[in-house]
Amino acid sequence: MGADPLSVVDPARVKIVFLPVGRIRHSRFSNCLERFEQENVIQLRDVSPDSRPHITTFSPLAFPDGRILLDIRTSIPPAAHLALSPFELYRQPFVVVGVADSQSLRHDAETEGQGRGEGGQGDLESIVSDESVQSLLQERQNLASQFSSALVHHVIVVDYDGPNQHLPRGISAVPSLARSKTTTIKTVMCDLTSQLLAEMASFARSLQELASVDSPRVPRQDIHRPLARYGDNSRPVSSDPDQQLSDGHRNNHRMSMPSHLLANLGSRSSTPEGRPLSPPSGRQTPTAVVNGTASTPASPPSGSAGLSRPASRDRASLQGFGSNSLTQRERNKNRGRISIVVGSLYLLAGRWPDAVKELSDGASVAKANNDHMWHGKALDYLLVICLLYAWAGLDFRIPQLLHAAMEKPGSGSGKASKETPPNSRSDPKGVSGAPSRDSSLHDLALLLPELVSTIQNLYSRAWTFSEDKLPQLSFSDSGLRFSKLLVTIEASNGNITDAVLQQIVLNSRTPRGRAQTDVVTIFPSKAEITAFLFRSFPSPGIDDSLTVADRTRILAGIASILGELGYHRKKAHVLKELLEGLIPALVEARKRGAAEMGLHPAASLASLDVAVTGAGHIRSQIPYGEEEKGVQNFLKMVCSAYGIDLALGNGINSQQNASSIEDHDAAASKKVELIIQRAIRQVSSRLSGSLDLKLDILRLCINICEALPDLEGVLEFSTQLLRTAGSGIAPGHDDNHGSPSLSIDDQLRLWNNISRTLGAARQLGLEHLAADYWDEFLVRGIEVVPPASNTPVPHAKDELDSVVKSSADTSSGPFLYNAFGRGKSAERARPLVVAEEEAVFRVTLQNLYDFDLEIESIRLGSKEDGYDAPAQACTIGPYRTQPIFLTATWSERGIGNILGCMAKIRGCGERWFPIFNKPWSFEPSVKDLQVHRNDQQPEHPPQVEEAPRKKVTRAPQGPVSSSLSLDVIPALPNIVLKHLSLSQSAIMLLEGETKVFDLTLYNASKTVSADLILLTFEDSTATQLQNAMGNKELAAVDLYELETAAARKALRWLREDDEPPPIIEPGQQMTLRIEVSGKPGLSDASILVSYGHLGVPRSELKDRFYTRQLSIPLTITVNASIDITRTDLLPFNPSFAWQNQQRQSSRAQPSSATKTETSSETRRPSSLSSRSKSTKTHNNNYNNENRFRALLSRIGLSPNDKSHCLLCLDCRNSWPTPLSISIHVRPSLSSSSSSTSTSPTSPKPISTSTESSKLTYTVHESLLPGHTKRILLLLPRIRLPASQTRRPIPSSPPNSSLAKKKQFVISSSPKESHATQLLAREAFWYREHLLAQIHASWTEESTQRTGVINTRGIRLSLQRGMVEAYKLPDLDIAIALALSSTTNPTSTATTLGDGDTVEDVEQIDANTYTVPLSVPLTLTTTLTNFTGHPIRTLLRLQPRRHDVQHAHDAHYAQAHHLELDLGRKLLVHGLLQRVLPVLMPGEQRGVE
C-alpha cells in the first residue's frame, strides 16, 4: 500500500518525485509508477557504494542491516512544507525522476529520419544515440534547473528494450514488463539510492559548515513562493560532473545556493578533485556489524578543512546566519541543531546507529540550552529510530535520553547528556549489555505515552519561554503522527507486536481487533488519546501561516484518527469544520482564477472548466473527473460520518445498469431486490441522526463541487440532497406525509442547479454524465385499459354448446349468467391481450416534490422477448400521482409479464423502476434506531468484552413490488358496423308493435375470419326490472310477473332454423335481420355481437376460445297504444246455455222441438223476461245488440259447456288516432269438468275441428283517441284439480330458458298463513288459464300498423269473488224434480192463473220447473265428486218459499219469517237432512 502520511516514521522516508517528461501517455506513466511503488524499501546491503573514496559519509557498508524507506510522489510539496527545512528536512524531495516514453522517442526519431530522407526504419541503437539522447539530457537539465533543491536528478525511459551502454550517466532504461526480471525495478531503485547517498555526503558537509541554524519561521507573504528557503540555499554543487555549470550560464545556476558556494563556482573544475571534501577519514571507515548493530567512528569537527568561508557567507544564510559576536550559549545551541539535522540525514539514509549518535548529541545540547523545539524534534527522531530497529528485527537499547526526557527540567540533564547511546563508539560491538528486542519493545510501550506527551509539551513550551514559534503545521503533524501511533498500539492491547510494526512502517492493513496476548500493558484509554489528539486541532487566528490546504489536511487527519477510535460523532464534527473552512477558499480561488482568465466570477461551470483546461483543449488522456476523485472520496467519507448513505445513488443508474431488463429473469429479480434494499436503507438513513445536519453537510458538498468545478460531484450530491430530504415512502391516497423536508424554493433551486450542471456538461462534450433519480417509487401502478368494444372474453366449449342449442330461444333472461352477454364474465387473474394488436396500459406515476418532473422517455418493461413497447415523453406535476397511457404490442401468444417501466427523467440516467402499487412506510421503534454508516462495525471492539446475549432483531419489512401478468391470446377478427337501416339508430314503436330492420357487419381484419357470430340483446327495461326484483319482500305473484316481463325480449335475430352458421371472411361483410317489439318502458337497447375465430369446426373444438363483442346502441321510443284500465269477472246465468242445448236438441227432434221451444218461450220466468227487457233497454245500438246476441247464441253448444262467466275489460285508446281492437277467445283445456290439465301453457293455435271452431270467437271494437270502452267476453267456467291449484307459484315462466337456469331464491316476504297461501296459489293458476284463453291485438286502419295488447294486467281479486265466478265447484250438485212414481198423470192437471193447464212436471229453465199442485213429487239430488279424494257429505235440504209475483217488492222481501213458514205451502214427506255414504273420487250419486 502507499505511504501513510500520518505514520510516525514519516521522518524516515525519502521523498522521491516522479514527473513525466516529453510525450508520454497517462496510462504508461501510471503503470511505471505502480511498478516503482512496489520497491519502497531498500536494504543497504543491496546498494552498491560509490566508488569515490572521499564521499563515503553515508556509505551503505557502514550499516548493511539498515533500510531506506522511499515515499514516491508525483508532485512537489507545497512551499509551506519546504519552508520547515532544515528543522524537518524530510519534507523536501531529495530525488526528482523524469519518466520518458521510449515509443515517443522512437516516433520522434523516425519522423526526423523521414524528414532527412533516411527512411523510417533503423535500428534501435541509432535511434536513441542521437537526438533522443540529447533531448533526454536536456530534460534532465531542465529538471535540475527547476528543482534545484533536490540532490539527484534522473531520467528513466520506460519500456526501453535497447542496450543500456548507449545511455549516458543520469539516464536509466526500464524494459517492458514482459522483458523485465524480478529484480529490474529494484536494481534501478538501488542505483538511485547509491547516487542519493553519494550526494548526501556533500549536503551533510555543507550543513556542518553553517554557523547557525534558525528555527522555522514562515512569514505569510512567503508561503506561496515556488522555492524553499533552506532546501535550495543549502544545496551545494552537485558531485555529478554532468550537472556542473560554467561561468557563462548564469541563467542556469541555482540562485538559492549559499553565496560562498556561488563565489567559488567558477574555480571548480569538472574533475573529482573539484568536489567538496568528504568528512574526515574517521567518518569514512566502514563500521563492523555484529548482531545487527554497528559502531561508528568519532565524529569530526563541525568545520571543514578543505573549504574557506568568505565573509559573504553570513549575509546569505538560509534561515539567517547569526552575527560574528555570538555567545557561547548560542554557538552550543547552533551546534546541537546542526547535529540534529545531520542525524535526520542519517535517519533518511538508513544509518540508524549514526543517527542515534548525532541525535543524542544534539538532543543533549538542546536540552542543556533550553532549546525546547529542537529538543523535542530530536526525541521525535529517536523514537522513530527505535521503532525502525524493532521493525527490522534487530536488538536495540532505548536511549537513556528518552528516559531522561520525561524528568522535570534540571533534574538530571547533565547526567543524561553523559549517557552513552546504544551502538555508540564506546561499545564498538554493540552487544555489551544490549537487552533483547522483546524487552525493549515492552519498555518502549510503557514509555511511549508519556514520551509523546513530553515531546508535544516541549513544542508548546517553545511558544511560551522562547522566541522560537513552532508553526502550527509542524505541531499539528507531530500530534497526528503520535496519535496515530497510540491508536495503532492501543488496538493491540498496548503491545507493540510485529503486526503493529508492519502497520506503522509499511501501512499494511491488518484486520482490526485486539490481539490475544497474555501481556497486559497499561496504556492510555481512548478518551485520553482523543484529548491528546485534539491538541493538534488548528484553532483559527493563532497562526496565520497555516494555509487552507494544510488546515484541511490536518483536520482530515484528526477525523481519520477519530474514526479509528470509533468516535464518529467527533469525527463528523471535525469534518464539518473542514468543509466550512474549505468552501470560502475554493470560492475565492475560483473568483481569482476567473478574473485572471478574463471571465466574470459568476461564469458558468463549463466556461471555467474550459478556461482551466485550456482553450480548445480536449481531455484525451485523463478521463473527466479523474482529478476530482480524491475530493469526491473525501466528501463521501464526510457524508458517511453523518450517516448519509451515498451508496444509494450507485448500482442502479448508468447505461450499463439501464440495459433492458428483459434479457435475463435473474437480472430482473436482482435489480428489483436492489431497489427494495435501497428504499429500506434510504428510510433507515433518514430516520437515524439529525436530518438538518445531513442537509447542511450535503449543501456544503455541493458548494465545494461547484467551486472546483466538479460537475459529477454537483450532480451526485444534489440528487443525494433531494433523496435525503424526501420522505422515501410510498404514500397512500389519503396520506399527506410524503412531502420532502425542504422548502419549495430550495427544491426549485436544486432542480435548476441540476439542469444548469447538465447543460455545462453537454457543452464540454460529457454526454454520459447524468444524475441518479432520487425516488424509487416512481411507478405506483400499471393496469390494462380494456377497450370499450372489443375486449376479448374467454369461453369454454360447453358454453358454446349451450348457447348454440338455445340460440333460437329469445326469452332468456338478462339477469342470469350469460357467457356472451356484456360484462357477465367473471373476474380473471390475468388480463387478456391480443397478439399483433396494440394494448393500452394505464401507468400511475408519483412525484412527491414541488417541481415539475419532466420525463424524456418512459416505456413498459417485460422480461419476455417478442414485444414492442414504444417510449413517450410526459410531464408530472408537482406533488401528485398522475396517470399516463403507454402502449405495447406482442407478436405471438403466450404469457406476458410487465415488471415495471424503463424511464429517463430529464437530467437523470435511464433506469429501471419496479411497480409499487401498495402504500409503504417504514417506522421503526426507538430502540431500533442507530446511526447509519457504511462502516457499521466499529474499528475497535470495546476493551471489556461483554457476555454474548441473545438479541432478537426484527428485519425491516420492505416495500413489495408487483407485476402485471397478461395472457397473450391469438389474433382475433375485428368486426365493425358498416350499415344500419335505421335512421340515426333510432326507431319509434307503439306498445305491442313489431318492426324489422337490417344491420351490416364488416370484418376489418386482414388475416383472421370471423367464423363464430352470436347475437345478444339488452334493453333499458332490464335495469328497472332488475331493481324491482331485487326487493326480497315481493310476493311470489309479483316476482313472477316481473320475471315474465323480463323474459319477453324486445329484440330478436330473425334467421332460419336450418341456416348454417354465419362466417365473415377478412375484408367481407354480412347483413343480419333484427326484429324489435314495442315494450312498455323501453327507451334504448343494445345489440351485442359476440364474434371470434375458432379455426376448426365447432364439434372439434377442444380448447378454450375467445370472443370479442361489438355493441350497437339503439334509441327506441315506445308510445302507449291500448291499455286495459279495469277488469271484472262476473258469474253468468246458466239458463242461456241450457236453452241453447234445448234448441240444439230440438233441431235433432223436429216434432218435439216446436213444442218445447214454444213452451219455453211462453213459460219463461218473469225474471228472465225482465232481465232481457232491461238488456234491450240499455243496448240501443243495433250492432252491439246483435254482437251480444251472437255471443249468447254460442254458449252451451258443448255438452260440458253449461256454466259460464262474464269477463268485462275496460280498454282505453292512448294513441292520437283511432285503433281497432280484436280480442280472440279460444277454448280452455280445462273447461270440462273432467279436465285433468295440470299446468297452464302458452296460447296454442286454434283447432280447425268443428267443435273448436264453434267454441272459438273474436270480438272486434273500434276506439276513438282518448276514449274508453267496455268489452264483454263470455268465458266457460273451468275446474282445476287441487293438485294443480296448490302447487307453489313458480319464480319464472315455465316455457322460458330462465326457468331452466333459475337459481334457488329464498324470499323474504312477510309470512302468510297456509290458507292465505293456498288462496293466492289458486288465484294464480286460474289467472294463468284465463290469460291462456284470450289473445288481444290492435290495428291502426290508416297505416295498417298492428300490435299485441298486453293482457298480463288482468288480475283475479279474491275479495271480489272473481275466482269463484271463474271456477267450477269441486262437488257438483244437481237437482231434478219429477212426479212420484205412484202418481197418476191424468189426475194431476192444474190450471194456472193465465188459463194454461199443467198436467206434468215441466222444466222451463236450468233451475226452474212447472209442477201441478197437490201432487206428490220426487226431488232427486245428484252429487258428483270431482276431487281426487273421498268426500264425506251431509245432505240438508232447506226449502224456501219464493213468490215470483212479489220478487221485486222490497216490503215483501223484508218479511223473511213468512218465507220460512212452509207448513201451509209445502208438505214434505221424509227427512230433509241425512248423512250420505262416502263419496269416492269421480263418483256420482243420486239421492231422492
Side-chain angles (χ1 to χ4, degrees):
M1 298 184 63
D4 185 7
L6 301 180
S7 176
V8 71
V9 299
D10 191 55
R13 291 195 179 103
V14 177
K15 305 298 185 296
I16 300 179
V17 179
F18 275 66
L19 300 175
V21 295
R23 294 187 305 170
I24 182 173
R25 294 183 178 178
H26 181 267
S27 59
R28 299 176 67 85
F29 179 78
S30 300
N31 294 336
C32 174
L33 195 64
E34 292 177 359
R35 296 177 63 184
F36 279 91
E37 284 178 346
Q38 297 177 1
E39 301 294 338
N40 56 0
V41 178
I42 304 298
Q43 290 190 4
L44 293 182
R45 68 175 70 253
D46 298 331
V47 179
S48 300
D50 195 280
S51 60
R52 294 167 290 185
H54 59 281
I55 54 175
T56 59
T57 306
F58 294 92
S59 174
L61 299 178
F63 186 62
D65 290 336
R67 291 170 175 81
I68 297 180
L69 306 180
L70 303 179
D71 186 4
I72 299 177
R73 301 186 176 185
T74 57
S75 61
I76 300 297
H81 292 227
L82 298 177
L84 297 176
S85 179
F87 180 73
E88 293 178 347
L89 197 61
Y90 65 90
R91 292 184 181 271
Q92 73 175 30
F94 287 91
V95 181
V96 177
V97 178
V99 181
D101 190 1
S102 62
Q103 294 183 0
S104 300
L105 297 177
R106 185 180 298 110
H107 176 73
D108 295 341
E110 292 176 356
T111 304
E112 294 178 2
Q114 291 178 359
R116 296 192 301 265
E118 299 176 359
Q121 302 294 334
D123 57 350
L124 185 61
E125 298 180 6
S126 62
I127 291 177
V128 300
S129 60
D130 300 329
E131 290 82 358
S132 300
V133 174
Q134 295 299 326
S135 64
L136 292 177
L137 291 175
Q138 183 62 36
E139 292 291 347
R140 178 175 177 270
Q141 190 67 28
N142 294 337
L143 290 176
S145 302
Q146 186 176 1
F147 307 104
S148 57
S149 61
L151 301 181
V152 177
H153 302 86
H154 202 81
V155 176
I156 296 177
V157 182
V158 295
D159 296 344
Y160 176 77
D161 299 331
N164 292 336
Q165 59 268 21
H166 293 279
L167 298 177
R169 181 181 177 86
I171 301 177
S172 301
V174 177
S176 61
L177 185 61
R179 296 189 179 185
S180 298
K181 300 179 181 180
T182 56
T183 59
T184 299
I185 302 299
K186 186 175 182 180
T187 301
V188 176
M189 296 301 291
C190 289
D191 294 342
L192 289 176
T193 305
S194 179
Q195 297 180 30
L196 175 63
L197 294 178
E199 295 297 328
M200 277 187 175
S202 301
F203 185 63
R205 178 171 297 182
S206 64
L207 290 175
Q208 291 175 351
E209 293 176 355
L210 297 177
S212 64
V213 177
D214 290 343
S215 299
R217 296 174 183 175
V218 185
R220 184 175 180 83
Q221 59 271 18
D222 293 337
I223 291 178
H224 301 287
R225 291 184 179 179
L227 299 178
R229 299 176 59 185
Y230 185 84
D232 293 341
N233 297 337
S234 63
R235 174 68 171 94
V237 177
S238 174
S239 61
D240 188 355
D242 296 332
Q243 297 186 19
Q244 295 178 1
L245 302 177
S246 61
D247 294 337
H249 298 84
R250 299 182 59 88
N251 295 330
N252 295 329
H253 76 277
R254 296 172 183 146
M255 300 299 297
S256 60
M257 286 185 178
S259 58
H260 67 280
L261 297 179
L262 293 177
N264 298 328
L265 184 61
S267 62
R268 295 182 183 275
S269 64
S270 61
T271 62
E273 288 77 5
R275 300 176 184 271
L277 296 178
S278 61
S281 59
R283 299 291 293 271
Q284 300 175 11
T285 305
T287 59
V289 179
V290 180
N291 294 334
T293 60
S295 60
T296 58
S299 60
S302 60
S304 177
L307 290 176
S308 61
R309 294 176 52 193
S312 61
R313 183 189 64 178
D314 297 337
R315 295 191 302 270
S317 176
L318 177 69
Q319 291 290 342
F321 291 102
S323 62
N324 293 330
S325 59
L326 297 176
T327 63
Q328 184 64 30
R329 181 181 181 87
E330 293 175 347
R331 290 177 181 176
N332 292 337
K333 183 186 296 186
N334 290 330
R335 181 173 61 85
R337 292 181 178 181
I338 292 175
S339 298
I340 295 174
V341 174
V342 173
S344 66
L345 278 177
Y346 278 112
L347 175 61
L348 293 172
R351 296 274 296 273
W352 301 331
D354 299 307
V356 171
K357 172 64 173 61
E358 295 291 340
L359 292 173
S360 298
D361 293 343
S364 299
V365 175
K367 183 178 182 181
N369 294 278
N370 292 330
D371 195 358
H372 305 297
M373 184 187 302
W374 289 88
H375 180 204
K377 181 56 65 177
L379 297 180
D380 185 358
Y381 289 156
L382 289 174
L383 174 60
V384 172
I385 293 174
C386 292
L387 294 174
L388 291 177
Y389 264 114
W391 166 71
L394 304 176
D395 293 337
F396 68 97
R397 181 191 301 273
I398 300 176
Q400 185 64 28
L401 190 64
L402 297 182
H403 294 280
M406 293 181 294
E407 300 177 0
K408 295 182 179 181
S411 61
S413 60
K415 182 179 179 181
S417 63
K418 296 179 181 180
E419 290 290 337
T420 303
N423 303 322
S424 64
R425 196 176 61 176
S426 62
D427 187 11
K429 296 184 179 181
V431 295
S432 59
S436 65
R437 173 176 174 270
D438 295 338
S439 61
S440 297
L441 284 177
H442 182 266
D443 295 340
L444 182 61
L446 296 176
L447 179 67
L448 189 61
E450 294 189 11
L451 177 61
V452 296
S453 179
T454 300
I455 296 174
Q456 290 295 91
N457 291 334
L458 289 174
Y459 291 154
S460 300
R461 194 177 300 168
W463 279 78
T464 306
F465 301 101
S466 65
E467 296 180 357
D468 296 333
K469 305 296 184 182
L470 182 65
Q472 181 69 33
L473 173 62
S474 180
F475 181 81
S476 298
D477 281 353
S478 299
L480 292 178
R481 292 190 297 108
F482 295 150
S483 300
K484 183 64 176 295
L485 176 63
L486 294 177
V487 169
T488 306
I489 299 177
E490 188 272 341
S492 183
N493 289 332
N495 299 308
I496 304 178
T497 61
D498 292 339
V500 172
L501 292 173
Q502 290 292 329
Q503 182 176 352
I504 292 173
V505 179
L506 300 180
N507 194 25
S508 59
R509 295 292 180 180
T510 58
R512 305 299 297 173
R514 297 190 174 275
Q516 301 296 330
T517 61
D518 297 334
V519 180
V520 180
T521 304
I522 300 176
F523 206 75
S525 63
K526 289 184 179 181
E528 294 174 346
I529 297 176
T530 304
F532 177 80
L533 173 64
F534 272 102
R535 294 177 62 182
S536 304
F537 194 92
S539 300
I542 296 180
D543 188 2
D544 56 355
S545 64
L546 193 63
T547 62
V548 176
D550 292 335
R551 176 183 173 84
T552 301
R553 189 176 60 85
I554 293 172
L555 292 178
I558 295 175
S560 176
I561 297 175
L562 289 174
E564 294 185 8
L565 289 173
Y567 293 140
H568 296 283
R569 288 188 178 181
K570 291 183 174 64
K571 173 184 175 181
H573 175 74
V574 172
L575 292 176
K576 187 172 183 293
E577 291 288 336
L578 187 153
L579 294 181
E580 291 178 349
L582 186 61
I583 292 176
L586 292 177
V587 174
E588 183 66 23
R590 176 181 174 182
K591 292 180 179 179
R592 290 182 179 179
E596 292 176 358
M597 290 178 288
L599 299 176
H600 192 273
S604 64
L605 297 177
S607 302
L608 287 177
D609 195 75
V610 170
V612 169
T613 57
H617 177 70
I618 301 177
R619 306 183 184 191
S620 59
Q621 296 183 356
I622 304 177
Y624 174 80
E626 191 69 25
E627 301 88 340
E628 294 83 5
K629 289 300 181 182
V631 178
Q632 289 188 10
N633 294 335
F634 167 70
L635 295 180
K636 291 179 181 178
M637 183 264 295
V638 174
C639 294
S640 176
Y642 277 87
I644 302 172
D645 193 358
L646 290 178
L648 296 175
N650 302 326
I652 306 297
N653 198 11
S654 76
Q655 295 296 332
Q656 178 181 2
N657 293 316
S659 59
S660 180
I661 198 167
E662 52 265 29
D663 296 339
H664 303 284
D665 190 9
S669 301
K670 184 177 180 180
K671 288 185 178 181
V672 173
E673 184 66 24
L674 287 176
I675 292 175
I676 293 176
Q677 293 298 327
R678 281 175 42 143
I680 297 176
R681 290 173 59 185
Q682 177 181 349
V683 179
S684 301
S685 175
R686 189 177 189 273
L687 294 178
S688 61
S690 175
L691 181 60
D692 294 335
L693 280 178
K694 294 178 183 179
L695 299 181
D696 293 341
I697 291 298
L698 289 174
R699 291 189 182 98
L700 293 176
C701 294
I702 295 173
N703 295 334
I704 290 177
C705 293
E706 287 180 344
L708 285 177
D710 179 12
L711 304 183
E712 184 177 357
V714 172
L715 290 180
E716 181 177 3
F717 292 108
S718 297
T719 54
Q720 183 63 36
L721 180 56
L722 288 174
R723 181 181 293 107
T724 304
S727 61
I729 64 174
H733 297 290
D734 300 332
D735 193 357
N736 56 355
H737 297 86
S739 57
S741 301
L742 288 176
S743 62
I744 299 179
D745 296 338
D746 291 341
Q747 297 180 46
L748 294 176
R749 189 180 301 108
L750 282 174
W751 174 243
N752 295 331
N753 190 27
I754 293 175
S755 302
R756 185 176 65 255
T757 304
L758 288 172
R762 300 299 180 264
Q763 295 179 14
L764 295 175
L766 304 175
E767 300 294 337
H768 69 280
L769 195 62
D772 181 56
Y773 187 61
W774 41 86
D775 188 8
E776 307 298 334
F777 304 98
L778 176 66
V779 180
R780 294 301 309 276
I782 299 179
E783 58 184 5
V784 180
V785 179
S789 58
N790 56 358
T791 303
V793 180
H795 302 281
K797 184 178 181 300
D798 54 352
E799 295 178 0
L800 179 62
D801 296 338
S802 62
V803 172
V804 170
K805 291 179 181 179
S806 60
S807 59
D809 188 3
T810 61
S811 60
S812 59
F815 308 126
L816 300 180
Y817 172 73
N818 186 355
F820 296 92
R822 176 165 55 188
K824 305 302 180 184
S825 59
E827 293 293 335
R828 292 182 49 81
R830 293 192 297 264
L832 296 179
V833 175
V834 183
E836 301 179 0
E837 291 188 10
E838 190 176 65
V840 182
F841 296 84
R842 185 178 186 267
V843 181
T844 304
L845 302 181
Q846 168 183 289
N847 178 21
L848 298 180
Y849 294 84
D850 295 305
F851 52 83
D852 291 337
L853 188 64
E854 300 181 16
I855 301 179
E856 296 180 355
S857 65
I858 182 172
R859 58 186 175 90
L860 297 173
S862 176
K863 63 181 181 181
E864 292 85 14
D865 297 330
Y867 88 102
D868 179 29
Q872 71 178 46
C874 62
T875 300
I876 309 300
Y879 199 77
R880 68 188 62 189
T881 55
Q882 179 174 327
I884 64 172
F885 296 92
L886 301 178
T887 59
T889 304
W890 277 261
S891 58
E892 56 185 13
R893 67 177 302 179
I895 297 178
N897 288 280
I898 302 296
L899 302 179
C901 291
M902 192 72 69
K904 185 182 185 307
I905 293 89
R906 179 186 175 188
C908 303
E910 187 178 22
R911 55 162 292 188
W912 177 256
F913 291 95
I915 307 173
F916 296 103
N917 52 9
K918 295 182 179 180
W920 177 81
S921 61
F922 178 59
E923 297 180 358
S925 61
V926 179
K927 295 183 179 180
D928 295 337
L929 293 179
Q930 59 181 353
V931 178
H932 183 80
R933 306 186 313 273
N934 292 339
D935 49 347
Q936 292 292 337
Q937 299 297 332
E939 292 280 342
H940 306 287
Q943 296 185 6
V944 180
E945 296 185 359
E946 297 180 358
R949 57 182 180 180
K950 184 180 295 184
K951 181 180 180 181
V952 180
T953 58
R954 178 178 57 88
Q957 183 67 30
V960 179
S961 64
S962 61
S963 61
L964 179 62
S965 298
L966 307 170
D967 282 339
V968 183
I969 62 176
L972 294 177
N974 187 14
I975 302 296
V976 296
L977 178 63
K978 188 175 183 181
H979 176 69
L980 185 63
S981 62
L982 299 178
S983 177
Q984 298 181 357
S985 300
I987 187 173
M988 192 277 290
L989 299 170
L990 295 180
E991 291 182 1
E993 186 180 6
T994 301
K995 287 187 178 181
V996 178
F997 62 91
D998 298 334
L999 60 90
T1000 302
L1001 303 178
Y1002 174 74
N1003 186 5
S1005 177
K1006 299 180 180 179
T1007 58
V1008 184
S1009 62
D1011 55 3
L1012 175 63
I1013 299 178
L1014 299 173
L1015 267 63
T1016 310
F1017 307 98
E1018 293 183 355
D1019 55 71
S1020 59
T1021 60
T1023 304
Q1024 303 174 5
L1025 294 174
Q1026 185 177 9
N1027 295 335
M1029 286 187 293
N1031 186 7
K1032 296 183 180 180
E1033 297 182 357
L1034 285 176
V1037 177
D1038 298 334
L1039 182 61
Y1040 178 86
E1041 289 300 321
L1042 292 176
E1043 293 185 352
T1044 303
R1048 293 174 53 245
K1049 288 296 183 181
L1051 293 95
R1052 186 168 63 95
W1053 182 12
L1054 299 180
R1055 54 178 303 190
E1056 301 296 335
D1057 295 339
D1058 55 351
E1059 184 178 349
I1063 298 177
I1064 306 178
E1065 298 295 336
Q1068 301 298 322
Q1069 63 184 19
M1070 174 179 288
T1071 302
L1072 306 179
R1073 295 181 61 81
I1074 307 298
E1075 180 186 77
V1076 56
S1077 299
K1079 189 177 180 181
L1082 181 62
S1083 59
D1084 57 81
S1086 297
I1087 304 175
L1088 306 179
V1089 182
S1090 299
Y1091 60 92
H1093 176 73
L1094 302 178
V1096 296
R1098 299 181 180 180
S1099 59
E1100 300 178 3
L1101 183 64
K1102 298 180 180 180
D1103 198 1
R1104 298 175 65 86
F1105 65 96
Y1106 299 88
T1107 62
R1108 280 179 168 172
Q1109 195 172 84
L1110 173 64
S1111 178
I1112 305 175
L1114 299 176
T1115 301
I1116 302 176
T1117 303
V1118 179
N1119 295 320
S1121 56
I1122 299 297
D1123 298 329
I1124 299 178
T1125 59
R1126 188 176 184 275
T1127 303
D1128 199 0
L1129 193 62
L1130 304 175
F1132 194 71
N1133 195 326
S1135 299
F1136 292 96
W1138 181 84
Q1139 291 179 3
N1140 290 337
Q1141 291 178 357
Q1142 295 298 324
R1143 195 177 295 113
Q1144 183 178 6
S1145 61
S1146 64
R1147 294 193 184 99
Q1149 300 176 2
S1151 58
S1152 60
T1154 305
K1155 180 180 179 181
T1156 303
E1157 183 177 358
T1158 303
S1159 61
S1160 299
E1161 292 291 342
T1162 57
R1163 294 178 176 85
R1164 183 171 300 173
S1166 59
S1167 60
L1168 183 60
S1169 300
S1170 62
R1171 185 178 304 174
S1172 177
K1173 293 179 182 180
S1174 175
T1175 303
K1176 292 180 181 180
T1177 304
H1178 290 85
N1179 293 288
N1180 297 324
N1181 192 316
Y1182 177 77
N1183 294 330
N1184 294 339
E1185 182 180 355
N1186 293 337
R1187 183 184 303 115
F1188 189 74
R1189 181 177 298 176
L1191 183 62
L1192 293 178
S1193 63
R1194 290 179 174 273
I1195 64 176
L1197 300 182
S1198 174
N1200 298 325
D1201 190 14
K1202 298 180 180 180
S1203 183
H1204 293 77
C1205 61
L1206 184 63
L1207 177 62
C1208 302
L1209 301 177
D1210 292 347
C1211 299
R1212 183 178 183 275
N1213 181 10
S1214 301
W1215 185 241
T1217 59
L1219 297 178
S1220 299
I1221 301 175
S1222 298
I1223 301 177
H1224 186 76
V1225 180
R1226 68 190 72 188
S1228 174
L1229 298 179
S1230 302
S1231 58
S1232 63
S1233 61
S1234 61
S1235 174
T1236 59
S1237 175
T1238 59
S1239 63
T1241 59
S1242 58
K1244 296 184 178 180
I1246 301 172
S1247 175
T1248 57
S1249 62
T1250 304
E1251 184 178 356
S1252 299
S1253 61
K1254 292 180 181 180
L1255 299 178
T1256 302
Y1257 64 92
T1258 303
V1259 177
H1260 302 279
E1261 284 291 345
S1262 179
L1263 287 179
L1264 296 177
H1267 285 215
T1268 301
K1269 182 175 292 188
R1270 173 167 294 183
I1271 300 176
L1272 303 178
L1273 300 177
L1274 286 176
L1275 300 179
R1277 300 175 67 188
I1278 63 174
R1279 179 184 293 111
L1280 296 179
S1283 59
Q1284 180 177 351
T1285 58
R1286 294 182 179 181
R1287 286 189 307 167
I1289 300 174
S1291 59
S1292 59
N1295 296 335
S1296 65
S1297 60
L1298 191 66
K1300 303 175 184 178
K1301 303 178 182 179
K1302 182 67 176 179
Q1303 292 90 348
F1304 180 74
V1305 178
I1306 299 177
S1307 176
S1308 61
S1309 58
K1311 298 298 182 179
E1312 299 176 349
S1313 63
H1314 182 66
T1316 304
Q1317 293 181 4
L1318 291 179
L1319 293 177
R1321 293 176 184 179
E1322 183 182 32
F1324 171 80
W1325 291 113
Y1326 276 102
R1327 175 175 174 271
E1328 291 299 311
H1329 281 78
L1330 173 63
L1331 296 178
Q1333 287 185 257
I1334 59 177
H1335 174 71
S1337 61
W1338 58 263
T1339 302
E1340 187 179 12
E1341 299 296 340
S1342 59
T1343 59
Q1344 296 300 318
R1345 300 170 63 178
T1346 60
V1348 178
I1349 301 175
N1350 184 16
T1351 58
R1352 300 294 304 183
I1354 299 176
R1355 296 296 182 95
L1356 299 184
S1357 177
L1358 296 176
Q1359 289 78 8
R1360 295 165 58 186
M1362 297 177 66
V1363 177
E1364 299 296 331
Y1366 182 58
K1367 73 172 184 177
L1368 293 173
D1370 295 335
L1371 181 63
D1372 186 34
I1373 302 176
I1375 299 177
L1377 189 63
L1379 294 175
S1380 177
S1381 57
T1382 59
T1383 305
N1384 186 6
T1386 58
S1387 61
T1388 60
T1390 302
T1391 301
L1392 299 178
D1394 54 0
D1396 294 337
T1397 302
V1398 179
E1399 298 178 355
D1400 197 359
V1401 176
E1402 181 181 359
Q1403 184 176 3
I1404 60 176
D1405 200 349
N1407 297 317
T1408 304
Y1409 291 86
T1410 302
V1411 297
L1413 296 176
S1414 303
V1415 176
L1417 301 175
T1418 301
L1419 180 63
T1420 304
T1421 303
T1422 304
L1423 304 177
T1424 306
N1425 183 7
F1426 288 100
T1427 64
H1429 55 83
I1431 298 177
R1432 298 180 180 275
T1433 58
L1434 174 64
L1435 179 61
R1436 174 184 296 175
L1437 298 178
Q1438 187 174 359
R1440 183 170 63 89
R1441 178 176 175 268
H1442 179 67
D1443 194 347
V1444 179
Q1445 296 179 357
H1446 301 86
H1448 299 283
D1449 190 352
H1451 297 283
Y1452 185 81
Q1454 292 178 358
H1456 181 64
H1457 62 281
L1458 297 176
E1459 297 181 2
L1460 298 178
D1461 187 9
L1462 300 177
R1464 294 179 299 174
K1465 299 293 183 180
L1466 180 64
L1467 179 63
V1468 178
H1469 176 69
L1471 297 176
L1472 295 180
Q1473 177 176 327
R1474 70 176 68 177
V1475 178
L1476 301 180
V1478 176
L1479 187 64
M1480 302 305 295
E1483 181 182 357
Q1484 184 176 3
R1485 178 179 302 170
V1487 180
E1488 295 181 353

